[in-house]
Amino acid sequence: MTSSSGPSTGTPEVPKPGTRGRIHSFESFGAVDGPGIRFVVFMQGCPFRCKYCQNPDTWLTGRGLEMSPLEVFREVRKYRAYFHSAGGGITVTGGEPLLQPRFVKELFELCHGDKIHTALDTSGCVPPAMAEEAVSQTDLVLLDLKSIDEKTHKALTGSGLAPVMRFAKWLSDIAKPAWIRHVVVPGYTDDDAMLGALADFILTLRNVELVELLPFHKLAEFKWRELGYEYELYDTEPPSPERMREIIDMFAAKGLKAR
Ligand code: SF4
């Protein structure tokens, strides 16, 4: 990999001194977090405790590496030629990146100065006022809707649904392009009525370009064990490919672009 083979446009501005982010890790060639090939920044800290979380090692705030937006941007730029030619960009995820909105805003400003596409992967748990400055610099929001049902949302994430619904409606009001992501967990979110209600809610939003339906899997179970956390979905089996096809078709039949 080279660090300077891509054409660069614009001069990145140096962000205000003082902003630092808590970074968990980077992935140079992410293929599942937004369009094209992505440079993925995993940020530290999350208020949710999703039972199927793939990154429980990002949960605690105060951990990770402290970096400035410019330091992270320099990492991103090393791979620009690769993800740019593949129609990609940068995705900031976590954890919950909107716990560190100023950092995200300044990092994305630097990326835009270099014509890098920016995506923000969020659970939508923070108030719009807190998210505003980061979202203003975001080309695409990947909004993870965990469940449309209050009780199920609470059971799956440990948190209430209302802030997430408010966030989704706000994104629609400001016409921010978004993809909705929803993990299908047997016994929790694979109920037809619940999925239908989710699709109906998404149809009320005017900013959604795509719905991604993701099958639950247990690849991160080892992380939970290593961290000493109890993994409650041990006995839950992933949905079959046939069931996933049915669900995707159900969303498509309602007029949503789904995959
Ligand atoms: S919101 Fe994301 S990072 Fe946070 S617990 Fe849920 S799956 Fe994990």
Side-chain angles (χ1 to χ4, degrees):
M1 285 159 221
T2 62
S3 60
S4 57
S5 48
S8 168
T9 51
T11 309
E13 265 180 47
V14 177
K16 294 178 200 75
T19 304
R20 314 282 289 172
R22 287 275 178 182
I23 307 300
H24 175 268
S25 55
F26 301 129
E27 189 183 331
S28 333
F29 293 99
V32 295
D33 294 304
I37 302 293
R38 316 293 300 182
F39 185 94
V40 185
V41 179
F42 293 87
M43 301 200 61
Q44 193 73 34
C46 185
F48 281 10
R49 293 292 178 265
C50 301
K51 290 188 195 302
Y52 54 72
C53 184
Q54 300 299 301
N55 305 308
D57 43 347
T58 65
W59 283 352
L60 302 180
T61 50
R63 301 255 172 113
L65 197 59
E66 206 181 279
M67 296 178 77
S68 71
L70 187 59
E71 285 168 332
V72 175
F73 175 68
R74 285 184 181 132
E75 284 302 310
V76 176
R77 252 187 124 261
K78 291 178 187 172
Y79 302 94
R80 185 186 186 283
Y82 295 93
F83 59 67
H84 201 67
S85 62
I90 178 178
T91 297
V92 175
T93 182
E96 174 48 65
L98 287 177
L99 293 186
Q100 306 182 71
R102 173 55 60 93
F103 175 88
V104 174
K105 175 195 178 246
E106 292 185 9
L107 173 60
F108 281 3
E109 274 175 342
L110 289 167
C111 291
H112 281 156
D114 209 9
K115 296 205 177 342
I116 293 172
H117 181 271
T118 60
L120 170 71
D121 181 23
T122 178
S123 64
C125 62
V126 308
M130 182 171 166
E132 213 163 10
E133 59 178 3
V135 168
S136 73
Q137 290 296 322
T138 303
D139 295 315
L140 175 70
V141 174
L142 309 174
L143 177 61
D144 305 321
L145 286 184
K146 316 288 186 186
S147 172
I148 193 69
D149 175 71
E150 172 68 35
K151 267 172 70 179
T152 310
H153 194 276
K154 184 97 192 171
L156 261 184
T157 70
S159 293
L161 175 62
V164 179
M165 298 296 271
R166 198 158 43 237
F167 191 92
K169 287 174 188 155
W170 169 66
L171 288 180
S172 172
D173 289 346
I174 63 170
K176 178 61 67 175
W179 292 6
I180 301 291
R181 309 218 284 181
H182 182 66
V183 180
V184 176
V185 191
Y188 286 90
T189 61
D190 68 341
D191 173 77
D192 276 354
M194 219 183 266
L195 289 162
L198 175 66
D200 289 342
F201 170 67
I202 295 171
L203 283 167
T204 68
L205 307 174
R206 62 190 180 101
N207 59 327
V208 175
E209 296 177 347
L210 179 67
V211 182
E212 284 192 309
L213 295 146
L214 311 167
F216 158 75
H217 63 72
K218 293 190 262 196
L219 296 178
E221 192 189 329
F222 76 96
K223 288 192 196 174
W224 286 66
R225 264 203 311 273
E226 280 175 8
L227 291 161
Y229 298 152
E230 188 191 350
Y231 191 74
E232 290 179 43
L233 299 183
Y234 180 77
D235 288 327
T236 303
E237 289 306 317
S240 68
E242 294 72 30
R243 177 61 181 146
M244 289 305 299
R245 189 68 256 162
E246 254 177 45
I247 294 171
I248 291 166
D249 289 348
M250 186 194 306
F251 277 70
K254 284 190 177 265
L256 289 162
K257 188 176 174 201
R259 70 178 184 197

Short mmCIF file of all heavy atoms in Angstrom, two decimals, residues 58-101:
data_model
loop_
_atom_site.label_atom_id
_atom_site.label_comp_id
_atom_site.label_asym_id
_atom_site.label_seq_id
_atom_site.Cartn_x
_atom_site.Cartn_y
_atom_site.Cartn_z
N THR A 58 -15.67 -1.81 22.15
CA THR A 58 -15.72 -0.35 21.96
C THR A 58 -16.61 0.33 23.01
O THR A 58 -16.74 1.54 23.00
CB THR A 58 -16.28 0.02 20.56
OG1 THR A 58 -17.64 -0.42 20.49
CG2 THR A 58 -15.48 -0.58 19.45
N TRP A 59 -17.29 -0.43 23.83
CA TRP A 59 -18.34 0.13 24.68
C TRP A 59 -17.84 1.22 25.64
O TRP A 59 -18.48 2.25 25.81
CB TRP A 59 -19.00 -0.98 25.51
CG TRP A 59 -19.95 -1.82 24.76
CD1 TRP A 59 -20.40 -1.62 23.48
CD2 TRP A 59 -20.57 -3.02 25.22
NE1 TRP A 59 -21.27 -2.63 23.13
CE2 TRP A 59 -21.39 -3.49 24.17
CE3 TRP A 59 -20.53 -3.74 26.42
CZ2 TRP A 59 -22.16 -4.65 24.29
CZ3 TRP A 59 -21.29 -4.88 26.53
CH2 TRP A 59 -22.10 -5.33 25.48
N LEU A 60 -16.76 0.93 26.32
CA LEU A 60 -16.36 1.81 27.42
C LEU A 60 -15.70 3.09 26.91
O LEU A 60 -14.81 3.03 26.06
CB LEU A 60 -15.41 1.07 28.37
CG LEU A 60 -15.98 -0.22 28.98
CD1 LEU A 60 -14.95 -0.87 29.90
CD2 LEU A 60 -17.27 0.05 29.74
N THR A 61 -16.16 4.21 27.43
CA THR A 61 -15.51 5.46 27.08
C THR A 61 -14.20 5.57 27.88
O THR A 61 -13.99 4.85 28.83
CB THR A 61 -16.41 6.67 27.43
OG1 THR A 61 -16.84 6.50 28.77
CG2 THR A 61 -17.62 6.75 26.53
N GLY A 62 -13.34 6.44 27.44
CA GLY A 62 -12.09 6.63 28.18
C GLY A 62 -11.02 5.61 27.80
O GLY A 62 -9.90 5.68 28.28
N ARG A 63 -11.39 4.65 26.93
CA ARG A 63 -10.39 3.69 26.43
C ARG A 63 -9.95 4.11 25.03
O ARG A 63 -10.34 5.13 24.52
CB ARG A 63 -11.02 2.29 26.38
CG ARG A 63 -11.53 1.80 27.71
CD ARG A 63 -10.60 0.77 28.28
NE ARG A 63 -10.97 0.42 29.64
CZ ARG A 63 -11.44 -0.76 30.00
NH1 ARG A 63 -11.59 -1.71 29.11
NH2 ARG A 63 -11.73 -1.01 31.26
N GLY A 64 -9.17 3.28 24.39
CA GLY A 64 -8.77 3.55 23.01
C GLY A 64 -7.63 4.54 22.94
O GLY A 64 -7.10 5.00 23.95
N LEU A 65 -7.30 4.88 21.71
CA LEU A 65 -6.17 5.77 21.45
C LEU A 65 -6.70 7.19 21.25
O LEU A 65 -7.65 7.39 20.49
CB LEU A 65 -5.49 5.29 20.17
CG LEU A 65 -4.08 5.78 19.89
CD1 LEU A 65 -3.13 5.37 21.01
CD2 LEU A 65 -3.61 5.19 18.56
N GLU A 66 -6.08 8.16 21.91
CA GLU A 66 -6.51 9.54 21.74
C GLU A 66 -5.78 10.13 20.55
O GLU A 66 -4.55 10.14 20.50
CB GLU A 66 -6.19 10.32 23.02
CG GLU A 66 -7.10 11.51 23.22
CD GLU A 66 -6.73 12.27 24.47
OE1 GLU A 66 -7.13 11.83 25.55
OE2 GLU A 66 -6.02 13.27 24.34
N MET A 67 -6.55 10.62 19.57
CA MET A 67 -5.95 11.17 18.36
C MET A 67 -6.69 12.45 17.95
O MET A 67 -7.87 12.61 18.24
CB MET A 67 -6.04 10.16 17.20
CG MET A 67 -5.24 8.89 17.43
SD MET A 67 -5.43 7.71 16.07
CE MET A 67 -4.37 8.42 14.82
N SER A 68 -5.98 13.31 17.23
CA SER A 68 -6.64 14.50 16.69
C SER A 68 -7.29 14.15 15.35
O SER A 68 -6.90 13.16 14.71
CB SER A 68 -5.62 15.62 16.49
OG SER A 68 -4.78 15.30 15.39
N PRO A 69 -8.25 14.95 14.89
CA PRO A 69 -8.84 14.71 13.57
C PRO A 69 -7.77 14.67 12.47
O PRO A 69 -7.83 13.85 11.56
CB PRO A 69 -9.79 15.89 13.38
CG PRO A 69 -10.17 16.29 14.77
CD PRO A 69 -8.94 16.07 15.59
N LEU A 70 -6.77 15.53 12.58
CA LEU A 70 -5.73 15.58 11.55
C LEU A 70 -4.89 14.30 11.55
O LEU A 70 -4.54 13.78 10.48
CB LEU A 70 -4.84 16.81 11.77
CG LEU A 70 -3.80 17.08 10.68
CD1 LEU A 70 -4.47 17.28 9.31
CD2 LEU A 70 -2.96 18.31 11.03
N GLU A 71 -4.61 13.78 12.71
CA GLU A 71 -3.85 12.52 12.78
C GLU A 71 -4.62 11.38 12.12
O GLU A 71 -4.05 10.56 11.40
CB GLU A 71 -3.53 12.19 14.25
CG GLU A 71 -2.42 13.06 14.83
CD GLU A 71 -2.31 12.94 16.34
OE1 GLU A 71 -3.31 12.65 17.04
OE2 GLU A 71 -1.19 13.16 16.84
N VAL A 72 -5.93 11.33 12.38
CA VAL A 72 -6.74 10.27 11.76
C VAL A 72 -6.83 10.51 10.26
O VAL A 72 -6.71 9.58 9.45
CB VAL A 72 -8.14 10.22 12.39
CG1 VAL A 72 -9.03 9.22 11.66
CG2 VAL A 72 -8.04 9.85 13.87
N PHE A 73 -7.01 11.77 9.87
CA PHE A 73 -7.10 12.09 8.45
C PHE A 73 -5.83 11.64 7.71
O PHE A 73 -5.91 11.13 6.58
CB PHE A 73 -7.31 13.60 8.28
CG PHE A 73 -7.29 14.05 6.85
CD1 PHE A 73 -8.30 13.68 5.97
CD2 PHE A 73 -6.26 14.85 6.37
CE1 PHE A 73 -8.28 14.09 4.64
CE2 PHE A 73 -6.23 15.26 5.05
CZ PHE A 73 -7.24 14.88 4.18
N ARG A 74 -4.68 11.80 8.34
CA ARG A 74 -3.43 11.37 7.68
C ARG A 74 -3.44 9.86 7.44
O ARG A 74 -2.94 9.39 6.42
CB ARG A 74 -2.23 11.76 8.54
CG ARG A 74 -1.93 13.25 8.47
CD ARG A 74 -0.68 13.60 9.25
NE ARG A 74 -0.41 15.03 9.19
CZ ARG A 74 -0.12 15.79 10.26
NH1 ARG A 74 -0.05 15.25 11.46
NH2 ARG A 74 0.09 17.07 10.11
N GLU A 75 -4.03 9.11 8.36
CA GLU A 75 -4.18 7.66 8.16
C GLU A 75 -5.11 7.38 6.98
O GLU A 75 -4.82 6.55 6.11
CB GLU A 75 -4.76 6.99 9.41
CG GLU A 75 -3.79 6.83 10.55
CD GLU A 75 -2.57 6.01 10.16
OE1 GLU A 75 -2.75 4.93 9.58
OE2 GLU A 75 -1.45 6.49 10.39
N VAL A 76 -6.23 8.09 6.97
CA VAL A 76 -7.23 7.90 5.90
C VAL A 76 -6.60 8.15 4.54
O VAL A 76 -6.78 7.37 3.59
CB VAL A 76 -8.42 8.88 6.10
CG1 VAL A 76 -9.41 8.77 4.95
CG2 VAL A 76 -9.11 8.65 7.44
N ARG A 77 -5.83 9.22 4.45
CA ARG A 77 -5.29 9.65 3.16
C ARG A 77 -4.33 8.64 2.54
O ARG A 77 -4.17 8.58 1.33
CB ARG A 77 -4.59 10.99 3.34
CG ARG A 77 -5.37 12.10 2.71
CD ARG A 77 -4.64 13.39 2.72
NE ARG A 77 -4.53 13.93 1.37
CZ ARG A 77 -3.47 13.80 0.61
NH1 ARG A 77 -2.41 13.16 1.04
NH2 ARG A 77 -3.46 14.33 -0.59
N LYS A 78 -3.71 7.82 3.38
CA LYS A 78 -2.78 6.81 2.86
C LYS A 78 -3.49 5.87 1.89
O LYS A 78 -2.88 5.27 1.04
CB LYS A 78 -2.19 5.98 4.01
CG LYS A 78 -1.24 6.73 4.92
CD LYS A 78 -0.79 5.81 6.03
CE LYS A 78 0.03 6.58 7.06
NZ LYS A 78 0.32 5.76 8.26
N TYR A 79 -4.80 5.70 2.10
CA TYR A 79 -5.55 4.70 1.32
C TYR A 79 -6.50 5.34 0.32
O TYR A 79 -7.29 4.66 -0.32
CB TYR A 79 -6.35 3.80 2.29
CG TYR A 79 -5.45 3.12 3.28
CD1 TYR A 79 -5.22 3.67 4.53
CD2 TYR A 79 -4.78 1.94 2.94
CE1 TYR A 79 -4.36 3.08 5.44
CE2 TYR A 79 -3.93 1.33 3.84
CZ TYR A 79 -3.72 1.90 5.09
OH TYR A 79 -2.87 1.31 5.98
N ARG A 80 -6.43 6.66 0.19
CA ARG A 80 -7.39 7.39 -0.62
C ARG A 80 -7.51 6.84 -2.04
O ARG A 80 -8.61 6.66 -2.56
CB ARG A 80 -7.00 8.87 -0.65
CG ARG A 80 -8.00 9.76 -1.37
CD ARG A 80 -7.45 11.17 -1.48
NE ARG A 80 -8.42 12.07 -2.04
CZ ARG A 80 -8.72 12.14 -3.32
NH1 ARG A 80 -8.15 11.31 -4.18
NH2 ARG A 80 -9.61 13.01 -3.76
N ALA A 81 -6.36 6.57 -2.66
CA ALA A 81 -6.39 6.12 -4.06
C ALA A 81 -7.18 4.83 -4.20
O ALA A 81 -7.89 4.64 -5.19
CB ALA A 81 -4.96 5.90 -4.56
N TYR A 82 -7.10 3.97 -3.20
CA TYR A 82 -7.76 2.67 -3.29
C TYR A 82 -9.27 2.79 -3.13
O TYR A 82 -10.03 2.32 -3.96
CB TYR A 82 -7.19 1.72 -2.22
CG TYR A 82 -5.74 1.43 -2.48
CD1 TYR A 82 -4.75 2.19 -1.88
CD2 TYR A 82 -5.37 0.43 -3.38
CE1 TYR A 82 -3.41 1.96 -2.15
CE2 TYR A 82 -4.04 0.18 -3.65
CZ TYR A 82 -3.06 0.95 -3.03
OH TYR A 82 -1.75 0.72 -3.31
N PHE A 83 -9.69 3.47 -2.06
CA PHE A 83 -11.15 3.51 -1.87
C PHE A 83 -11.80 4.51 -2.82
O PHE A 83 -12.94 4.33 -3.23
CB PHE A 83 -11.55 3.74 -0.41
CG PHE A 83 -11.05 4.99 0.26
CD1 PHE A 83 -11.50 6.23 -0.14
CD2 PHE A 83 -10.16 4.93 1.33
CE1 PHE A 83 -11.07 7.38 0.50
CE2 PHE A 83 -9.72 6.08 1.98
CZ PHE A 83 -10.18 7.31 1.55
N HIS A 84 -11.06 5.55 -3.24
CA HIS A 84 -11.65 6.55 -4.13
C HIS A 84 -11.95 5.93 -5.49
O HIS A 84 -13.03 6.13 -6.06
CB HIS A 84 -10.69 7.72 -4.27
CG HIS A 84 -11.36 8.97 -4.74
ND1 HIS A 84 -12.28 9.65 -3.97
CD2 HIS A 84 -11.27 9.66 -5.90
CE1 HIS A 84 -12.72 10.70 -4.64
NE2 HIS A 84 -12.12 10.73 -5.80
N SER A 85 -11.02 5.12 -6.01
CA SER A 85 -11.24 4.51 -7.33
C SER A 85 -12.36 3.47 -7.26
O SER A 85 -12.96 3.14 -8.28
CB SER A 85 -9.95 3.85 -7.84
OG SER A 85 -9.58 2.83 -6.95
N ALA A 86 -12.66 2.97 -6.07
CA ALA A 86 -13.74 1.97 -5.93
C ALA A 86 -15.05 2.63 -5.49
O ALA A 86 -15.95 1.96 -4.99
CB ALA A 86 -13.31 0.91 -4.91
N GLY A 87 -15.17 3.93 -5.65
CA GLY A 87 -16.41 4.63 -5.31
C GLY A 87 -16.70 4.66 -3.83
O GLY A 87 -17.86 4.75 -3.42
N GLY A 88 -15.65 4.58 -3.02
CA GLY A 88 -15.85 4.51 -1.58
C GLY A 88 -15.53 5.81 -0.88
O GLY A 88 -15.69 6.89 -1.43
N GLY A 89 -15.06 5.68 0.35
CA GLY A 89 -14.77 6.85 1.17
C GLY A 89 -14.46 6.42 2.58
O GLY A 89 -13.97 5.32 2.81
N ILE A 90 -14.79 7.28 3.51
CA ILE A 90 -14.55 6.99 4.92
C ILE A 90 -15.89 6.74 5.62
O ILE A 90 -16.89 7.41 5.31
CB ILE A 90 -13.79 8.15 5.61
CG1 ILE A 90 -13.58 7.86 7.09
CG2 ILE A 90 -14.47 9.47 5.42
CD1 ILE A 90 -12.80 8.95 7.84
N THR A 91 -15.91 5.77 6.52
CA THR A 91 -17.06 5.56 7.38
C THR A 91 -16.59 5.60 8.82
O THR A 91 -15.61 4.95 9.18
CB THR A 91 -17.72 4.18 7.11
OG1 THR A 91 -18.20 4.17 5.77
CG2 THR A 91 -18.89 3.94 8.06
N VAL A 92 -17.28 6.41 9.62
CA VAL A 92 -16.98 6.45 11.04
C VAL A 92 -18.08 5.69 11.77
O VAL A 92 -19.26 5.96 11.58
CB VAL A 92 -16.87 7.90 11.54
CG1 VAL A 92 -16.66 7.94 13.04
CG2 VAL A 92 -15.70 8.60 10.85
N THR A 93 -17.66 4.72 12.57
CA THR A 93 -18.61 3.86 13.26
C THR A 93 -18.11 3.64 14.68
O THR A 93 -17.34 4.41 15.21
CB THR A 93 -18.79 2.55 12.44
OG1 THR A 93 -19.75 1.72 13.09
CG2 THR A 93 -17.51 1.77 12.28
N GLY A 94 -18.56 2.58 15.31
CA GLY A 94 -18.10 2.39 16.70
C GLY A 94 -18.48 1.04 17.23
O GLY A 94 -18.53 0.07 16.49
N GLY A 95 -18.88 1.14 18.47
CA GLY A 95 -19.21 2.29 19.31
C GLY A 95 -20.24 3.23 18.67
O GLY A 95 -20.86 2.91 17.68
N GLU A 96 -20.38 4.36 19.32
CA GLU A 96 -21.32 5.37 18.83
C GLU A 96 -20.54 6.65 18.54
O GLU A 96 -20.18 7.38 19.47
CB GLU A 96 -22.42 5.62 19.87
CG GLU A 96 -23.36 6.75 19.51
CD GLU A 96 -23.88 6.66 18.09
OE1 GLU A 96 -24.60 5.71 17.79
OE2 GLU A 96 -23.54 7.55 17.26
N PRO A 97 -20.28 6.94 17.25
CA PRO A 97 -19.47 8.11 16.91
C PRO A 97 -20.07 9.43 17.37
O PRO A 97 -19.34 10.39 17.60
CB PRO A 97 -19.35 8.06 15.39
CG PRO A 97 -20.16 6.94 14.93
CD PRO A 97 -20.65 6.14 16.09
N LEU A 98 -21.40 9.48 17.51
CA LEU A 98 -22.02 10.76 17.87
C LEU A 98 -21.84 11.11 19.35
O LEU A 98 -22.27 12.17 19.79
CB LEU A 98 -23.48 10.79 17.46
CG LEU A 98 -23.68 10.92 15.94
CD1 LEU A 98 -25.15 10.87 15.57
CD2 LEU A 98 -23.03 12.21 15.41
N LEU A 99 -21.17 10.25 20.09
CA LEU A 99 -20.73 10.67 21.44
C LEU A 99 -19.56 11.64 21.33
O LEU A 99 -19.21 12.31 22.29
CB LEU A 99 -20.31 9.46 22.28
CG LEU A 99 -21.40 8.45 22.67
CD1 LEU A 99 -20.83 7.41 23.61
CD2 LEU A 99 -22.59 9.15 23.32
N GLN A 100 -18.93 11.69 20.15
CA GLN A 100 -17.78 12.58 19.93
C GLN A 100 -18.03 13.41 18.67
O GLN A 100 -17.28 13.32 17.68
CB GLN A 100 -16.51 11.75 19.80
CG GLN A 100 -16.30 10.80 20.99
CD GLN A 100 -15.01 10.00 20.91
OE1 GLN A 100 -13.93 10.55 21.06
NE2 GLN A 100 -15.13 8.71 20.67
N PRO A 101 -19.11 14.20 18.69
CA PRO A 101 -19.56 14.87 17.45
C PRO A 101 -18.57 15.90 16.92
O PRO A 101 -18.43 16.05 15.70
CB PRO A 101 -20.88 15.53 17.86
CG PRO A 101 -20.83 15.65 19.34
CD PRO A 101 -20.00 14.51 19.83
#
